[in-house]
Amino acid sequence: MFLGFIMTISPINTLVFIFFVVILSPSLSDADTTAVFIIGDSLYDVGTNTYLLKSIAKANFPWYGIDFFNSTPNGRFCNGQNLADFTTKIAFGESVTSPPPFQAIHRGGINFQERLMEALDINSTRHWEGPIKKFTLASTKAKENPGKGVNFASSGCGIIDATSAIDQAVSITQQLKEVKFVYGNLSSQLGADKAKEYFEKATFFICIGNNDVNFFALFRYKLEPDPYIDKLIQSYNNTLTTLYKLGARKFGIFGVPYVGCSPLMRVTIKGGNCSKTANDLAQQFNIKLEGLLVRMQENSEDMHFSYANSYNLLYDIYMNPATYKIKYVNTACCGLGRFRAMSNCNPIARLCKDRKEYLFWDVSHPSQYIAQLMMEKFAFGEARYVGPITWSELVNI
């Protein structure tokens, strides 16, 4: 649908960065320090696609960001802070947002090493609050955060590259190349042992699969779902294995939500009903994903994971919106036409007055209020929503 500019990493760049190693290499100053590395799609994108020159899947215009600091559009598909921001708060406290996008750090390779070291804050030049114990109103007031980690997520990304190609997003294959690039530069600065130690202490949060399910329900619904799910699981397995081999040991995994009832799916169905195809596929995929995680933990030394059951949580919100102080679960806050889903949010779209009353900000992305609510459940919630440990427990390992 649209063509994105994807950064390429050449051996020449790597040699330049290796040559640029400073004489006094920094060291890990705090044995308990954890970094956050975020991989995924538009639920986690904080501006990656803004740097993809030909991409039209961008959120750097009104009314996106209306409730963000200074009401600034910033690449998040949300009215304010998104799921990546509240995920990061679990590790570093309420005053932070997501670490910056890799594309913002890279910028064609010029001064990349300097910006990367600033984002990772190896020498802890900033004061970090530490893991959050609860969310309060202050959580929604944070400004942009220059660290501590890197966000690789790109709107339109899927588990398989064929999904990412539809929107020319930064594919999961490319995101993994970017992770390796960061690891290589860390190794050149710290040495291989310290770089591995840094990755071992980091927490990797992954949110992919939503687009794969949506595209199947919209365009491939006549095909058998089982082979497709198996293909997704194999690709997910390859992703986790690649990260594990780089030293990653802690994984926060965001399951595919109850996506079939989003305004995007409802507007395509006669009568405005939910897509049973999408919801069934999401549920079947999640079951196999949980199985994959359990098997990997059993066979991988020191691996820890926490699975966020966003399917159950979104289902419960749909079924009992008043419990969560929500009024509107079918219609987007910002958009045009039926369910406000005939267009994405844009400057001429209709905008609701009270964003907290809506489950969806636009055709398929949660509002800031829901993003915070979801992360509260994953950070501190019960077994129906997260397991075998909470995300708060995960970052403290």
Side-chain angles (χ1 to χ4, degrees):
M1 284 198 244
F2 49 85
L3 180 62
F5 172 77
I6 304 297
M7 178 226 50
T8 58
I9 300 167
S10 71
I12 295 176
N13 283 337
T14 303
L15 288 173
V16 169
F17 289 131
I18 291 174
F19 179 77
F20 187 68
V21 175
V22 293
I23 295 175
L24 296 175
S25 294
S27 60
L28 299 180
S29 58
D30 185 346
D32 295 323
T33 296
T34 217
V36 169
F37 293 107
I38 294 175
I39 294 168
D41 55 29
S42 55
L43 293 179
Y44 264 178
D45 189 346
V46 294
T48 291
N49 284 23
T50 301
Y51 295 89
L52 307 184
L53 298 182
K54 296 183 180 180
S55 171
I56 60 172
K58 298 180 180 180
N60 57 341
F61 49 82
W63 300 103
Y64 289 108
I66 188 172
D67 297 314
F68 200 79
F69 179 72
N70 284 343
S71 297
T72 307
N74 49 64
R76 291 165 172 82
F77 287 82
C78 190
N79 57 302
Q81 295 177 63
N82 70 3
L83 289 164
D85 298 309
F86 291 105
T87 294
T88 307
K89 294 176 194 297
I90 296 172
F92 296 128
E94 290 187 288
S95 66
V96 304
T97 57
S98 168
F102 175 86
Q103 297 288 338
I105 300 171
H106 187 264
R107 299 183 200 171
I110 300 172
N111 297 325
F112 171 77
Q113 187 100 31
E114 179 181 345
R115 284 194 295 271
L116 177 63
M117 291 300 107
E118 180 182 354
L120 299 181
D121 196 25
I122 300 294
N123 283 327
S124 294
T125 57
R126 291 182 58 195
H127 170 69
W128 299 92
E129 296 177 20
I132 196 172
K133 292 182 172 57
K134 65 177 182 178
F135 287 101
T136 69
L137 182 62
S139 293
T140 64
K141 305 300 181 183
K143 304 178 184 179
E144 284 281 18
N145 178 31
K148 188 175 191 180
V150 182
N151 186 318
F152 303 92
S154 172
S155 176
C157 176
I159 299 171
I160 55 177
D161 288 354
T163 300
S164 303
I166 294 173
D167 287 343
Q168 288 297 307
V170 181
S171 67
I172 195 64
T173 299
Q174 183 65 24
Q175 289 184 41
L176 290 175
K177 287 181 180 179
E178 294 170 356
V179 173
K180 291 178 182 178
F181 195 53
V182 168
Y183 182 83
N185 279 272
L186 263 180
S187 295
S188 71
Q189 281 285 78
L190 307 177
D193 291 342
K194 288 290 187 181
K196 185 177 181 182
E197 179 187 350
Y198 192 88
F199 265 45
E200 287 175 349
K201 293 174 181 175
T203 306
F204 289 75
F205 292 99
I206 304 175
C207 177
I208 47 175
N210 309 291
N211 293 316
D212 303 278
V213 169
N214 282 335
F215 291 144
F216 183 92
L218 289 170
F219 306 119
R220 304 168 183 165
Y221 55 90
K222 293 183 179 181
L223 302 178
E224 284 295 321
D226 289 346
Y228 182 71
I229 292 173
D230 290 341
K231 185 177 182 180
L232 296 180
I233 291 297
Q234 183 58 52
S235 180
Y236 215 121
N237 177 71
N238 294 341
T239 296
L240 294 173
T241 300
T242 298
L243 293 171
Y244 183 84
K245 287 180 178 178
L246 288 174
R249 293 295 182 268
K250 300 192 294 183
F251 299 91
I253 305 297
F254 196 101
V256 176
Y258 189 68
V259 294
C261 296
S262 68
L264 172 67
M265 299 305 296
R266 285 182 181 276
V267 78
T268 66
I269 296 176
K270 186 177 180 179
N273 298 320
C274 297
S275 168
K276 186 176 185 301
T277 299
N279 284 333
D280 287 350
L281 189 69
Q283 190 171 41
Q284 293 166 32
F285 168 78
N286 287 335
I287 291 171
K288 290 196 173 184
L289 175 59
E290 284 192 83
L292 170 66
L293 294 170
V294 170
R295 291 192 302 274
M296 285 197 69
Q297 186 175 54
E298 290 173 347
N299 297 307
S300 305
E301 185 178 2
D302 295 329
M303 176 184 167
H304 305 277
F305 79 88
S306 178
Y307 172 75
N309 196 325
S310 59
Y311 186 98
N312 281 352
L313 180 54
L314 265 292
Y315 175 85
D316 287 351
I317 294 174
Y318 274 113
M319 296 298 105
N320 303 287
T323 301
Y324 302 92
K325 301 179 181 179
I326 294 290
K327 289 186 178 180
Y328 307 102
V329 297
N330 299 338
T331 300
C333 168
C334 184
L336 289 170
R338 189 169 172 237
F339 300 116
R340 291 185 187 163
M342 301 298 288
S343 76
N344 216 328
C345 185
N346 58 60
I348 63 171
R350 289 186 61 191
L351 179 66
C352 68
K353 292 182 179 180
D354 190 348
R355 269 77 75 180
K356 290 183 180 180
E357 294 181 341
Y358 285 76
L359 170 56
F360 287 97
W361 159 248
D362 63 9
V363 296
S364 60
H365 302 101
S367 64
Q368 175 179 265
Y369 172 75
I370 293 297
Q372 179 174 346
L373 186 154
M374 293 178 76
M375 282 305 137
E376 286 176 344
K377 296 295 186 182
F378 301 153
F380 313 110
E382 60 267 30
R384 176 167 171 77
Y385 303 129
V386 63
I389 59 176
T390 67
W391 283 19
S392 178
E393 292 168 331
L394 181 70
V395 300
N396 281 292
I397 292 176

